[in-house]
Amino acid sequence: MEASRIAIPIGVTLDRFIRSNESQYPQSVGDFSQLLRDIALASKVVNREINKAGLIDIMGSSGSHNTGGDDQQKLDILADIRFSRALLKGGAACAIISEEADSMSILNINGKYIVAIDPLDGSSNIDVNVSIGTIFSVYKRLSNIGEPVTIEDCLQCGTEQVAAGYILYGSSTMLVFTTGQGVNGFTYEATLGEYLLSHPNIIIKPEANTYSINEGNSNSFVQEGIHDYLNECKVEQFAGRYIGSLVADIHRNLLKGGIYLYPATRNNPDGKLRIMFEANSLAFIVEQAGGKASDGIQRILEIVPTSIHQKTPLFIGSSEMVKKLELALNKY
Ligand code: AHM
Ligand code: MG
């Protein structure tokens, strides 16, 4: 083969990227890399199953409900099983908490990490072929290795995350994650079966002209200031873009700039989104990209969780936009 042909790179695979960054986590001796590889592997299986939805009988409601009272889709449950099983086999995590489970599941008592996961977010969009996603956070356990895993191991502040990421099953499938050293995005190349680095060092614009909110809830917003902020957006003629699939909405705003808002409503007085499964992970990613994430009063990452399914209002995205929103809320 000609030397010039060998020189053409296929790009940096996720595996190579993880290995070349292993020196950042010397204390973990490869366990952490194993954990990220397990999540990536499970996401490829889930991606395959999502792409088959509609072709085989895996769509539609399973008829059961999760802790939040949401209708569980079969794919939610399948995704939950895929991620849990991959992490169980990999051995790096001692426990997993999932949006689809009432309580933590023990994986490997000798594992160092806790994984919090929303295996398939935006599941009401599954049946209509709209982008959906997986959201995950990784924490170091607080208890000693080999000892029983406790609920305190799971209920850590977002500031304690050692990694966070999401997988977007969209027009292409992407894995975007941070280990606290910036944010990198990888696009799945299905014929190679590899994630390839496509979006190195993602930075979110400090200011932009897109806002994402379910305005159908307007009459039931609990905080007055939300209306003032939305009026500002309209005066500025910002574009309203709302997919209703958190990962997709956040991903668009991460790449193009914008703010995502899910405020407290009369039906959801604590907000709709979960701290441990949705808000913390996305807040860590967006902050690492230079953005901001707030519950309207404080930084999402500093909320001290008291239960694994706890919810929060969420205002997240371009830093100047989130600051303006906080100012509007603080007037009342
Ligand atoms: P889910 O975890 O049950 O899928 O719910 C979370 C989803 C988010 O993806 C999305 O941003 C939000 O709920 C949409 O809520 P709404 O339909 O109230 O606008
Ligand atoms: Mg969710």
Side-chain angles (χ1 to χ4, degrees), residues 66 70 98-100 116-123 133-137 139 161 164-166 244-247 250 260 262 271-286 293 300-301 308-312 314 316:
N66 67 10
D70 307 322
S98 163
E99 191 181 294
E100 299 303 331
I117 193 161
D118 182 351
L120 213 49
D121 181 77
S123 49
T134 296
I135 309 172
F136 65 93
S137 292
Y139 300 83
Q161 290 171 100
Y166 62 75
S245 209
L246 187 59
V247 172
I250 296 288
Y260 174 96
Y262 209 111
K272 179 184 179 189
L273 301 169
R274 288 85 170 165
I275 297 173
M276 300 304 300
F277 305 120
E278 291 155 329
N280 269 348
S281 166
L282 298 171
F284 189 23
I285 293 165
V286 166
I300 290 288
L301 295 182
I308 60 175
H309 287 279
Q310 192 174 332
K311 295 177 176 182
T312 177
L314 179 64
I316 182 168

Side-chain angles (χ1 to χ4, degrees), residues 1-7:
M1 195 184 293
E2 295 166 41
S4 59
R5 281 176 61 91
I6 301 172

Side-chain angles (χ1 to χ4, degrees), residues 17 28-29 86 97 133 154 162 167 213 220 279 314 318:
F17 181 89
S28 66
V29 209
I97 53 172
C154 300
V162 291
I167 296 112
I213 185 168
S220 76
L314 179 64
S318 293

Side-chain angles (χ1 to χ4, degrees), residues 85-317:
R85 203 179 279 167
L87 290 165
L88 176 68
K89 292 242 187 282
C94 59
I96 182 169
I97 53 172
S98 163
E99 191 181 294
E100 299 303 331
D102 295 348
S103 51
M104 73 174 166
S105 304
I106 306 298
L107 299 175
N108 169 21
I109 196 98
N110 293 315
K112 290 180 186 154
Y113 298 100
I114 303 280
V115 174
I117 193 161
D118 182 351
L120 213 49
D121 181 77
S123 49
S124 62
N125 282 322
I126 293 172
D127 287 352
V128 290
N129 224 340
V130 171
S131 301
I132 46 183
T134 296
I135 309 172
F136 65 93
S137 292
V138 184
Y139 300 83
K140 261 202 189 135
R141 70 186 289 178
L142 302 172
S143 56
N144 292 325
I145 288 170
E147 288 181 2
V149 187
T150 67
I151 194 67
E152 287 73 35
D153 286 318
C154 300
L155 289 177
Q156 298 189 48
C157 266
T159 48
E160 302 309 307
Q161 290 171 100
V162 291
Y166 62 75
I167 296 112
L168 172 65
Y169 310 98
S171 48
S172 59
T173 297
M174 280 193 72
L175 168 62
V176 174
F177 77 98
T178 182
T179 55
Q181 313 279 332
V183 181
N184 291 287
F186 297 78
T187 301
Y188 185 52
E189 217 294 15
T191 57
L192 295 174
E194 295 275 9
Y195 280 105
L196 300 174
L197 180 62
S198 52
H199 295 65
N201 197 22
I202 297 171
I203 303 289
I204 182 168
K205 285 183 199 162
E207 202 135 25
N209 52 13
T210 298
Y211 70 105
S212 317
I213 185 168
N214 184 345
E215 281 200 88
N217 291 331
S218 288
N219 286 340
S220 76
F221 293 153
V222 174
Q223 297 138 296
E224 272 304 309
I226 303 289
H227 292 287
D228 294 355
Y229 181 73
L230 294 180
N231 283 338
E232 279 181 47
C233 292
K234 286 168 191 160
V235 169
E236 299 286 338
Q237 295 193 309
F238 287 174
R241 294 283 182 273
Y242 190 71
I243 298 167
S245 209
L246 187 59
V247 172
D249 278 311
I250 296 288
H251 184 70
R252 182 200 53 243
N253 290 357
L254 196 61
L255 298 189
K256 298 196 165 179
I259 182 171
Y260 174 96
L261 310 92
Y262 209 111
T265 63
R266 276 201 293 278
N267 283 344
N268 286 301
D270 299 319
K272 179 184 179 189
L273 301 169
R274 288 85 170 165
I275 297 173
M276 300 304 300
F277 305 120
E278 291 155 329
N280 269 348
S281 166
L282 298 171
F284 189 23
I285 293 165
V286 166
E287 281 199 8
Q288 281 293 314
K292 210 167 145 51
S294 164
D295 69 355
I297 298 166
Q298 65 173 331
R299 197 176 159 217
I300 290 288
L301 295 182
E302 288 175 1
I303 298 173
V304 181
T306 53
S307 70
I308 60 175
H309 287 279
Q310 192 174 332
K311 295 177 176 182
T312 177
L314 179 64
F315 308 104
I316 182 168

